[in-house]
Amino acid sequence: MTTIMRVQHHAFNHVEDGIRLVDLKNEDEKYLKQNGFSKLPSCIQGVQFSCLGKSYQGFGFRNDIGGVEFFHQLYTPFPVTLKSYAPTTLRSPKAKEYQACCLFYDFMDYLAFYTLKGSREFRLPQHDACIVMSHVSNYMHMVVDSDDYDEVYMFFPNTVVGRTIALTLKRRNPGKVTDYSIIYKGHANLRAFVQDRMNPFVMFSSRMSRSSILIPLLVLVILIAVLALVLYYDIKHTYRDGDLWKK
């Protein structure tokens, strides 16, 4: 399956003209909701196109220069860009200033963020815009765009690439950049975190793995305390039996 996905992903470099954005199909909406994306932004649409004589459909949205960010779980493990590469800037309709923005690696992470917005469990930042990088070739474009904002919040993957991007942005603007990856620590990215929330066993395993160091340490502390108490009473009774204990 992975090999097939890789071949199809590279084949998408030869997408024919006439990419169509249509209403989101019920099956795609069902897939998203079954995978934890309980809320969907209006920018998400169905995507239909032809490539090397075959027809494909999935979902995504247009980027800043007219290209299309596309995903379907049967064709590629992560979103891909059709035609023109560029970041996607999603500004709030009520935004009047360039005060705060959130940065994402791809639009599935953005969908995860959108799902968590308003949740009492997570205190996500207020923002005027979201910028989705979509491809590493768009990195500098995203960085320059984020320079316009007073506050920048990052939601990049917990990978070498994600951490490198986050570190570089922090060094560029140390006073205004905040890394939010702590929210999904132990997961590959924000998307994986939201998907795992739908599976109680996965979340339990994740929490247990994070506490795997604390539990043995706590047991060790308890054993030391018990041992100290036993030694104390042993010494006390020894002195008392030998008439050395002073009452």
Side-chain angles (χ1 to χ4, degrees):
M1 177 64 76
T2 302
T3 303
I4 294 174
M5 284 184 171
R6 189 178 296 115
V7 171
Q8 288 174 329
H9 165 56
H10 289 301
F12 290 159
N13 293 330
H14 308 284
V15 171
E16 300 167 12
D17 291 332
I19 300 173
R20 297 175 297 282
L21 296 182
V22 297
D23 291 339
L24 190 66
K25 286 197 169 186
N26 290 336
E27 61 189 75
D28 291 329
E29 185 172 354
K30 182 179 179 181
Y31 164 81
L32 287 165
K33 297 207 169 166
Q34 286 179 340
N35 279 272
F37 302 99
S38 56
K39 295 189 298 184
L40 299 176
S42 58
C43 62
I44 293 295
Q45 294 180 271
V47 179
Q48 299 176 349
F49 64 95
S50 297
C51 178
L52 301 177
K54 293 184 179 181
S55 296
Y56 296 90
Q57 70 85 27
F59 54 90
F61 51 55
R62 287 202 183 277
N63 61 36
D64 288 350
I65 62 172
V68 175
E69 307 306 325
F70 168 81
F71 178 78
H72 192 284
Q73 67 277 10
L74 294 181
Y75 308 139
T76 175
F78 46 82
V80 297
T81 301
L82 307 178
K83 293 294 184 180
S84 306
Y85 287 84
T88 304
T89 305
L90 302 163
R91 283 187 59 79
S92 170
K94 298 180 181 180
K96 296 180 180 180
E97 300 178 355
Y98 287 80
Q99 184 174 357
C101 74
C102 298
L103 306 181
F104 304 90
Y105 189 84
D106 63 40
F107 80 79
M108 292 299 286
D109 286 338
Y110 166 71
L111 291 186
F113 171 82
Y114 193 87
T115 291
L116 296 177
K117 276 200 326 179
S119 170
R120 294 181 179 179
E121 187 177 353
F122 306 98
R123 301 182 69 178
L124 297 177
Q126 297 294 320
H127 58 282
D128 302 298
C130 291
I131 302 176
V132 183
M133 186 175 72
S134 298
H135 193 273
V136 290
S137 63
N138 302 324
Y139 169 71
M140 280 310 301
H141 192 163
M142 176 192 68
V143 169
V144 172
D145 286 350
S146 68
D147 284 344
D148 294 334
Y149 294 85
D150 298 328
E151 302 169 23
V152 177
Y153 304 101
M154 303 182 296
F155 294 84
F156 293 118
N158 287 317
T159 61
V160 173
V161 173
R163 287 190 289 269
T164 301
I165 293 173
L167 182 60
T168 305
L169 279 164
K170 273 190 172 183
R171 287 176 175 172
R172 180 183 177 93
N173 293 305
K176 68 177 186 179
V177 175
T178 304
D179 187 356
Y180 263 76
S181 63
I182 188 67
I183 289 179
Y184 45 98
K185 183 180 180 181
H187 295 77
N189 49 38
L190 189 56
R191 165 192 172 185
F193 173 71
V194 166
Q195 289 177 316
D196 287 348
R197 278 166 56 85
M198 292 294 292
N199 188 333
F201 175 76
V202 172
M203 287 303 294
F204 175 77
S205 299
S206 175
R207 288 169 183 166
M208 287 299 293
S209 66
R210 289 197 294 270
S211 61
S212 59
I213 297 176
L214 294 177
I215 291 177
L217 184 61
L218 180 60
V219 171
L220 180 61
V221 170
I222 293 173
L223 287 175
I224 291 174
V226 171
L227 180 60
L229 193 60
V230 170
L231 288 173
Y232 167 76
Y233 278 103
D234 185 56
I235 293 172
K236 178 178 179 180
H237 286 293
T238 299
Y239 273 66
R240 176 178 293 173
D241 294 341
D243 296 327
L244 296 176
W245 183 262
K246 295 182 180 179
K247 298 183 180 180

